[in-house]
């Protein structure tokens, strides 16, 4: 089992040495002084995602049990947003991601992901959109919320929904969809599970998708062979990156390329929890290999490409929210190459990392009573 092999032996034996070496470096960095100070802003009940509204410090924040919150400013004032969907809460399921339409200033459209129940004891993620209304003197509300996408098929179990969402420079909607802990759907072209999907902003399928001519859910597929993809983000060059939890070992940061297969469950740099070995990526070069992978795992919750001026030394790099690692992790990106550069112990599971107005970094802790933290440069 790879996760039980000592780190130095991994470095000697594994062709993917960049990730292993960066883990060793990170262990040293984690004990050093943080280049930031931490300011708690507000507290939430199992917060999952956040996004800032244009024109100031207001932000929308989701809570996994089904509430949508509006943070008015760094003062910590928070209001409920009416009109949030009823969610199927349990396990990894509940209210998930929140993003704004690229033309939000004009149309006020907000996109949410959440989990809904299906027939029998089945469950699946959905994405919907509604209009945010913030009239003076009235509580904020979401109007006309409508589902525009569903995982298909719905399956039993309450894990690996993925359901991160992002808009690209092409103004298309990208959705990460987990394989629901059922392994095979990641390679099944008749399911949209274990995939990254690409849609128009209304949920219809773009005609230039790689498998559009096949119709059905196959037409939605942008890439396949993913396990539990919990982050999607575009870099400054317009390239899409994805981060996902591996099985027992093998968390991955991937550069997403149109129509490619990323190999799960045929290949992985981790193994199954029952001890069954999964061949490493180099054994099947027809599949796309991750740019960075981690054993031991970091359990990524989300990530961003940092572009602000508050931390100029991080510009262009990836910042990852670590769950089991309880860390903020920086990955240095140089073209198509990437390596872990630093890791800071945050003391709590971190679900979300977000860049705020002016370039400050915000973190959401993954817990009942999870705090919203603002990171600013150390004095």
């Amino acid at each position: 089992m790879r996760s039980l092999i000592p780190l130095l032996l991994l470095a000697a034996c594994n062709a993917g040495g960049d990730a292993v070496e960066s883990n060793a470096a990170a262990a040293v960095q984690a004990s050093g002084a943080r280049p930031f100070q931490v300011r708690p802003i507000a507290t939430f009940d199992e917060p999952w995602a956040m996004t800032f509204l244009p024109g100031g410090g207001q932000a929308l924040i989701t809570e996994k049990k089904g509430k949508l919150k509006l943070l008015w400013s760094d003062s910590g004032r928070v209001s409920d947003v009416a009109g949030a969907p009823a969610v199927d809460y349990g396990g990894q399921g509940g209210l998930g991601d929140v993003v704004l339409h690229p033309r939000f200033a004009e149309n006020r459209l907000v996109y949410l992901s959440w989990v809904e129940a299906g027939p029998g004891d089945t469950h699946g993620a959905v994405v919907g959109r509604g209009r945010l209304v913030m009239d003076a003197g009235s509580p904020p509300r979401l109007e006309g919320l409508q589902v525009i996408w569903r995982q298909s098929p719905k399956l039993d179990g309450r894990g690996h929904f993925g359901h991160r969402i992002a808009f690209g420079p092409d103004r298309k909607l990208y959705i990460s969809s987990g394989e629901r802990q059922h392994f095979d759907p990641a390679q099944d072209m008749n399911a949209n599970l274990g995939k990254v999907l690409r849609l128009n902003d209304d949920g219809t399928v773009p005609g230039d998708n790689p498998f559009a001519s096949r119709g059905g859910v196959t037409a939605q597929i942008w890439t396949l062979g993913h396990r539990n993809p919990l982050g999607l983000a575009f870099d400054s060059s317009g390239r899409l990156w994805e981060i996902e939890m591996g099985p027992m070992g093998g968390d991955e940061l991937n550069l997403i390329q149109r129509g490619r297969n990323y190999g799960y469950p045929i290949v992985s740099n981790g193994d199954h929890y029952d001890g069954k070995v999964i061949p490493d990526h180099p054994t099947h070069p027809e599949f796309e290999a991750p740019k960075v992978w981690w054993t031991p795992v970091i359990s990524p919750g989300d990530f961003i490409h940092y572009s602000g001026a508050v931390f100029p030394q991080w510009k262009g790099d990836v910042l990852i929210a670590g769950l089991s690692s309880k860390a903020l992790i920086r990955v240095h990106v140089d073209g198509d190459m990437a390596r872990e550069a630093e890791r800071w112990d945050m003391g709590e599971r971190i679900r979300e990392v977000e860049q705020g107005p002016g370039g400050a970094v915000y973190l959401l802790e993954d817990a009942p009573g999870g705090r919203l933290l603002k990171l600013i440069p150390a004095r």
Side-chain angles (χ1 to χ4, degrees):
M1 299 180 189
R2 296 178 188 87
S3 62
L4 301 182
I5 299 173
L7 191 58
L8 292 176
L9 182 58
L10 272 171
C13 297
N14 206 301
D18 284 350
V20 174
E21 290 170 8
S22 68
N23 279 345
V28 176
Q29 291 288 349
S31 63
R34 295 173 176 174
F36 53 81
Q37 51 184 315
V38 180
R39 292 184 180 174
I41 301 297
T43 300
F44 299 90
D45 184 12
E46 293 186 80
W48 210 88
M50 69 182 298
T51 190
F52 282 92
L53 305 185
Q58 297 174 338
L60 294 171
I61 297 175
T62 62
E63 292 181 338
K64 191 175 165 186
K65 290 180 181 177
K67 286 191 175 182
L68 180 63
K69 301 282 189 173
L70 176 66
L71 175 75
W72 291 92
S73 70
D74 281 353
S75 68
R77 178 189 168 199
V78 176
S79 298
D80 287 340
V81 178
V87 305
D88 182 21
Y89 170 78
Q92 296 175 18
L95 185 57
D97 214 352
V98 54
V99 302
L100 306 180
H101 190 280
R103 299 197 312 275
F104 173 81
E106 305 165 26
N107 60 31
R108 307 293 292 181
L109 287 176
V110 173
Y111 289 70
L112 297 172
S113 69
W114 67 93
V115 172
E116 66 176 9
D121 189 24
T122 63
H123 318 269
V126 305
V127 171
R129 67 176 185 174
R131 185 166 285 104
L132 181 65
V133 179
M134 297 172 61
D135 295 331
S138 299
R141 63 190 186 276
L142 204 59
E143 291 186 345
L145 183 64
Q146 181 179 19
V147 173
I148 62 169
W149 174 83
R150 285 184 162 91
Q151 281 185 332
S152 177
K154 287 183 169 64
L155 297 175
D156 60 356
R158 293 182 177 272
H160 296 190
F161 296 102
H163 67 35
R164 285 288 182 180
I165 48 183
F167 274 98
D170 56 2
R171 295 192 173 181
K172 302 302 183 185
L173 179 65
Y174 292 78
I175 303 170
S176 74
S177 179
E179 43 69 80
R180 301 296 326 288
Q181 295 177 298
H182 284 257
F183 313 116
D184 295 340
Q187 294 293 327
D188 183 356
M189 295 297 287
N190 294 311
N192 60 16
L193 308 175
K195 315 293 195 303
V196 172
L197 298 318
R198 178 177 181 259
L199 304 175
N200 294 316
D201 65 355
D202 62 356
T204 57
V205 176
D208 60 346
N209 272 7
F211 310 105
S213 63
R214 301 192 192 184
V217 296
T218 308
Q220 302 173 3
I221 296 171
W222 190 248
T223 59
L224 62 150
H226 301 288
R227 183 176 182 268
N228 189 18
L230 284 167
L232 289 175
F234 286 86
D235 65 18
S236 60
S237 299
R239 301 179 304 173
L240 178 60
W241 295 70
E242 172 262 1
I243 200 163
E244 65 185 78
M245 288 191 181
M248 189 166 61
D251 289 349
E252 298 181 2
L253 178 67
N254 291 300
L255 178 59
I256 296 298
Q257 301 183 67
R258 179 185 190 275
R260 301 290 180 86
N261 189 332
Y262 289 75
Y264 190 78
I266 300 170
V267 293
S268 171
N269 290 338
D271 292 328
H272 290 299
Y273 283 98
D274 63 3
K276 183 179 178 182
V277 172
I278 305 173
D280 286 345
H281 276 274
T283 65
H284 285 265
E286 68 271 25
F287 298 127
E288 290 296 314
K291 298 304 180 183
V292 186
W293 59 272
W294 288 268
T295 299
V297 298
I298 58 171
S299 303
D302 190 27
F303 77 105
I304 61 169
H305 292 274
Y306 184 75
S307 61
V310 171
F311 297 98
Q313 70 274 29
W314 297 349
K315 196 164 186 177
D317 286 348
V318 165
L319 298 179
I320 301 169
L323 290 164
S324 67
S325 54
K326 297 183 178 180
L328 176 65
I329 298 149
R330 180 172 73 88
V331 169
H332 179 65
V333 178
D334 182 8
D336 288 348
M337 303 298 293
R339 61 175 177 82
E340 182 175 333
E342 294 180 286
R343 186 186 301 201
W344 300 285
D345 181 7
M346 301 304 300
E348 299 290 344
R349 290 165 56 91
I350 306 299
R351 168 61 65 181
E352 169 89 331
V353 55
E354 187 68 27
Q355 181 176 315
V361 173
Y362 292 76
L363 306 179
L364 283 172
E365 294 176 340
D366 180 60
R371 297 174 299 169
L372 171 64
L373 306 174
K374 182 178 181 179
L375 309 187
I376 59 176
R379 293 174 181 172

